[in-house]
Amino acid sequence: MRIILGIESSCDETAAALVTSERTILAQHIASQDEVHRPYGGVVPEIAARAHAERLAPMIEATLADAGMTLDDVDAIAATAGPGLIGGVMVGLVTAKALAMAADKPLIAVNHLEGHALSPRLADPELAYPYLLLLVSGGHCQILLVEGVGQFRRLATTIDDALGEAFDKSAKVLGLGYPGGPALERLAREGDAKKVPLPRPLLGSAEPHFSFAGLKSAVLRAKQNMPPPVQGCVAGSVVPPAYSDADIAASFQQAAIDCLIDRARRALAGVGPVNALVVAGGVAANTAIRTALENLAADHDLPFIAPPLALCTDNAAMIAWAGLERFERGQSDPLDVAARPRWPLDPDAEAVRGAGVKA
Ligand code: AMP
Ligand code: MG
């Protein structure tokens, strides 16, 4: 049995985990920085990096202590080396390098997106390559054909906002705080998805990609144009506005789901045989999205696989697992491996419309 220490610090979760080749998470600590960033309504990179630097080392110590282990018991050390906010990535990667050097263990530089992409295999030993993956998070919205470790074909990506970003920004418009995705989903349960007509960008388009910026702007307009309640004919009575915040939330969520399903259906039609439809990333926590994807998979006679919620949002167990998959294939990285703010899973994928020249 191999044991990998995983470290995650690419955005606003600081995490350490010990994972075995038998798919057991021996111990894991995760500290969310939601409280730290809430006053700013989004993640502030400099503050995130400082928080990682304060929290990571004691967290690794606590993770090892929980499992009753020391670094001597670990076979390799895996850390997110990108993509992500570079200050945070550097904190995690440099910590992993120092530990690898001190304990004389191999270092594995993990692509955070590969962590998300392979996490369903940590949860499900039956899941074999190839599978179609929808990676939907705060920073990413991609459809990928996962053919093996390090073997990805990007079939679609977003030309503007990520899906989680659209949830968060729409939630902000509705005054739901940060991060708003889960709160928006809760509010949507009380609303009527047919009340507010919202656009479905790129629905039915020959282009395979996603777009959510126009939908997000339409949410803002719907909120700004919401008519105020008016005095009714009967004294003291009030006629409510034609729609409520909950209706906007429900209508937004339904529009987002319609776009997601349309794009996923298009990808499934063109991809060839796959073993499953898989969803990963923080937005996979959304129950309405899971249900819609489950139905889509059933339409195509495919199993639908969604990792447990704790594995969907950023965590270190998925980094340890991706490191393990690489370690088992004899891979490791030198101590001078670079931290990468950008690191596409499929470097051969064509640049999308609207993409800048950021390499
Ligand atoms: P990640 O980027 O993978 O850490 O995931 C975080 C993103 O997932 C944020 O944009 C959250 O708002 C979003 N998210 C988390 N839970 C939900 C939910 N229930 N519905 C929609 N979005 C969610
Ligand atoms: Mg993520």
Side-chain angles (χ1 to χ4, degrees), residues 18-53:
L18 285 163
V19 173
T20 75
S21 48
E22 283 159 14
R23 292 180 158 82
T24 307
I25 300 173
L26 296 173
Q28 165 149 239
H29 280 254
I30 303 184
S32 157
Q33 299 177 7
D34 285 354
E35 293 304 323
V36 182
H37 300 290
R38 186 161 289 133
Y40 307 95
V43 179
V44 183
E46 166 81 16
I47 295 176
R50 286 168 188 259
H52 289 305

Coordinates of all heavy atoms in Angstrom, one line a residue, residues 18-53:
L18 N -3.9 12.8 3.7 CA -3.2 11.6 3.5 C -4.1 10.5 2.8 O -5.1 10.2 3.4 CB -2.7 11.0 4.8 CG -1.5 11.8 5.4 CD1 -1.3 11.4 6.9 CD2 -0.2 11.4 4.7
V19 N -3.7 10.0 1.6 CA -4.6 9.1 0.9 C -3.7 7.9 0.5 O -2.6 8.0 0.2 CB -5.1 9.8 -0.4 CG1 -5.8 8.8 -1.3 CG2 -6.0 11.0 0.0
T20 N -4.4 6.7 0.6 CA -3.7 5.5 0.3 C -4.1 5.0 -1.1 O -5.1 5.4 -1.7 CB -4.1 4.3 1.3 OG1 -5.4 3.9 0.9 CG2 -4.0 4.8 2.7
S21 N -3.2 4.1 -1.6 CA -3.5 3.4 -2.9 C -4.8 2.6 -2.8 O -5.3 2.2 -3.9 CB -2.3 2.6 -3.4 OG -1.9 1.8 -2.3
E22 N -5.3 2.3 -1.6 CA -6.5 1.5 -1.5 C -7.7 2.5 -1.4 O -8.8 2.1 -1.0 CB -6.4 0.6 -0.3 CG -5.6 -0.6 -0.7 CD -5.0 -1.4 0.4 OE1 -5.5 -1.2 1.6 OE2 -4.1 -2.2 0.2
R23 N -7.5 3.7 -1.7 CA -8.6 4.7 -1.8 C -9.1 5.1 -0.4 O -10.3 5.5 -0.3 CB -9.8 4.2 -2.7 CG -9.4 4.1 -4.2 CD -10.6 3.7 -5.0 NE -10.4 4.0 -6.4 CZ -9.7 3.3 -7.3 NH1 -9.0 2.3 -6.9 NH2 -9.7 3.7 -8.5
T24 N -8.3 5.0 0.6 CA -8.7 5.5 1.9 C -8.1 6.9 2.2 O -6.9 7.1 1.9 CB -8.2 4.5 3.0 OG1 -8.7 3.2 2.6 CG2 -8.8 4.9 4.4
I25 N -9.0 7.8 2.6 CA -8.5 9.1 3.1 C -8.2 8.9 4.6 O -9.1 8.8 5.4 CB -9.5 10.2 2.8 CG1 -9.9 10.3 1.3 CG2 -9.0 11.5 3.4 CD1 -11.0 11.2 1.0
L26 N -6.9 8.8 4.9 CA -6.5 8.5 6.3 C -6.8 9.7 7.2 O -7.2 9.5 8.3 CB -5.0 8.1 6.3 CG -4.6 6.8 5.6 CD1 -3.1 6.7 5.6 CD2 -5.3 5.6 6.3
A27 N -6.5 10.9 6.7 CA -6.8 12.1 7.4 C -6.8 13.3 6.4 O -6.2 13.2 5.4 CB -5.7 12.3 8.4
Q28 N -7.6 14.3 6.8 CA -7.7 15.5 6.0 C -8.0 16.7 6.8 O -8.9 16.6 7.7 CB -8.6 15.3 4.8 CG -9.0 16.6 4.1 CD -9.3 16.5 2.6 OE1 -8.7 17.1 1.8 NE2 -10.3 15.7 2.3
H29 N -7.4 17.8 6.6 CA -7.7 19.1 7.2 C -8.0 20.1 6.1 O -7.1 20.2 5.2 CB -6.6 19.6 8.1 CG -6.6 18.9 9.5 ND1 -7.1 19.5 10.6 CD2 -6.3 17.6 9.8 CE1 -7.0 18.7 11.6 NE2 -6.5 17.5 11.2
I30 N -9.1 20.8 6.2 CA -9.4 21.9 5.2 C -9.7 23.1 6.0 O -10.6 23.0 6.9 CB -10.5 21.5 4.3 CG1 -10.3 20.2 3.5 CG2 -10.8 22.6 3.3 CD1 -11.4 19.8 2.5
A31 N -9.1 24.2 5.6 CA -9.6 25.5 6.2 C -10.0 26.4 5.0 O -9.2 26.7 4.1 CB -8.4 26.2 6.9
S32 N -11.3 26.8 5.1 CA -11.8 27.7 4.1 C -11.5 29.1 4.5 O -11.4 29.4 5.7 CB -13.3 27.5 4.0 OG -13.9 28.7 3.4
Q33 N -11.2 30.0 3.5 CA -10.9 31.4 3.8 C -12.2 32.3 3.5 O -12.0 33.5 3.4 CB -9.8 31.9 3.0 CG -8.5 31.1 3.2 CD -7.3 31.6 2.3 OE1 -7.5 32.5 1.5 NE2 -6.2 30.9 2.3
D34 N -13.3 31.7 3.5 CA -14.5 32.4 3.1 C -14.7 33.7 4.0 O -14.9 34.8 3.5 CB -15.8 31.6 3.3 CG -16.0 30.6 2.2 OD1 -15.2 30.7 1.2 OD2 -16.9 29.8 2.3
E35 N -14.4 33.5 5.3 CA -14.6 34.6 6.3 C -13.6 35.7 6.0 O -13.9 36.9 6.1 CB -14.3 34.1 7.7 CG -15.4 33.1 8.2 CD -16.8 33.7 8.2 OE1 -16.9 34.9 8.4 OE2 -17.7 32.9 7.8
V36 N -12.4 35.3 5.6 CA -11.3 36.3 5.3 C -11.7 37.2 4.1 O -11.4 38.4 4.1 CB -10.0 35.6 5.1 CG1 -8.8 36.5 4.9 CG2 -9.7 34.6 6.2
H37 N -12.3 36.6 3.1 CA -12.5 37.3 1.9 C -13.9 37.9 1.8 O -14.2 38.8 0.9 CB -12.3 36.4 0.7 CG -10.9 35.8 0.6 ND1 -9.8 36.6 0.3 CD2 -10.4 34.6 0.9 CE1 -8.7 35.8 0.3 NE2 -9.1 34.6 0.7
R38 N -14.8 37.5 2.7 CA -16.2 38.0 2.6 C -16.3 39.5 2.5 O -17.1 40.0 1.7 CB -17.0 37.4 3.7 CG -18.5 37.7 3.6 CD -19.4 36.8 4.5 NE -19.4 35.4 4.0 CZ -19.2 34.3 4.7 NH1 -19.0 34.4 6.0 NH2 -19.3 33.1 4.1
P39 N -15.6 40.3 3.3 CA -15.8 41.7 3.3 C -15.5 42.3 1.9 O -15.9 43.4 1.5 CB -14.7 42.2 4.3 CG -14.4 41.1 5.1 CD -14.6 39.8 4.4
Y40 N -14.7 41.6 1.1 CA -14.3 42.1 -0.3 C -15.2 41.5 -1.4 O -15.1 41.9 -2.5 CB -12.9 41.7 -0.6 CG -11.9 42.2 0.5 CD1 -11.6 41.3 1.5 CD2 -11.5 43.5 0.6 CE1 -10.7 41.7 2.6 CE2 -10.7 43.9 1.7 CZ -10.3 43.0 2.6 OH -9.5 43.4 3.7
G41 N -16.1 40.6 -1.1 CA -17.0 40.0 -2.1 C -16.3 39.1 -3.1 O -16.9 38.8 -4.1
G42 N -15.1 38.7 -2.8 CA -14.4 37.8 -3.7 C -13.0 37.5 -3.1 O -12.6 38.2 -2.1
V43 N -12.3 36.6 -3.7 CA -11.0 36.2 -3.2 C -9.9 37.3 -3.5 O -9.7 37.6 -4.7 CB -10.5 34.9 -3.8 CG1 -9.2 34.5 -3.2 CG2 -11.6 33.8 -3.5
V44 N -9.2 37.8 -2.5 CA -8.1 38.7 -2.7 C -6.8 37.9 -2.7 O -6.4 37.4 -1.7 CB -8.1 39.8 -1.6 CG1 -7.0 40.8 -1.9 CG2 -9.5 40.5 -1.5
P45 N -6.1 37.9 -3.8 CA -5.0 37.0 -4.0 C -3.9 37.1 -2.9 O -3.4 36.2 -2.3 CB -4.4 37.3 -5.3 CG -5.6 37.8 -6.1 CD -6.4 38.5 -5.1
E46 N -3.5 38.4 -2.6 CA -2.5 38.6 -1.6 C -2.9 38.1 -0.2 O -2.1 37.5 0.5 CB -2.2 40.2 -1.6 CG -1.4 40.7 -0.4 CD 0.1 40.5 -0.6 OE1 0.5 40.2 -1.8 OE2 0.8 40.6 0.4
I47 N -4.1 38.4 0.1 CA -4.6 38.0 1.5 C -4.7 36.4 1.5 O -4.4 35.8 2.5 CB -6.0 38.6 1.7 CG1 -5.9 40.1 1.8 CG2 -6.6 38.0 3.0 CD1 -7.2 40.9 2.0
A48 N -5.1 35.8 0.4 CA -5.2 34.4 0.3 C -3.8 33.8 0.5 O -3.6 32.8 1.3 CB -5.7 33.9 -1.0
A49 N -2.8 34.3 -0.1 CA -1.4 33.8 0.0 C -0.9 33.8 1.4 O -0.3 32.9 2.0 CB -0.5 34.5 -1.0
R50 N -1.2 35.0 2.1 CA -0.8 35.1 3.5 C -1.5 34.1 4.4 O -0.9 33.5 5.3 CB -1.1 36.5 3.9 CG -0.2 37.6 3.4 CD -0.7 39.0 3.6 NE 0.1 40.0 2.9 CZ 1.1 40.7 3.5 NH1 1.3 40.5 4.8 NH2 1.8 41.6 2.8
A51 N -2.8 33.9 4.1 CA -3.5 33.0 5.0 C -3.0 31.5 4.8 O -2.8 30.8 5.7 CB -5.0 33.0 4.6
H52 N -2.7 31.2 3.5 CA -2.1 29.8 3.3 C -0.8 29.7 4.0 O -0.5 28.7 4.7 CB -1.8 29.6 1.8 CG -3.0 29.5 0.9 ND1 -4.0 28.5 1.2 CD2 -3.4 30.1 -0.2 CE1 -4.9 28.6 0.2 NE2 -4.6 29.6 -0.6
A53 N 0.1 30.8 4.0 CA 1.4 30.7 4.6 C 1.2 30.5 6.1 O 2.0 29.8 6.8 CB 2.2 32.0 4.3

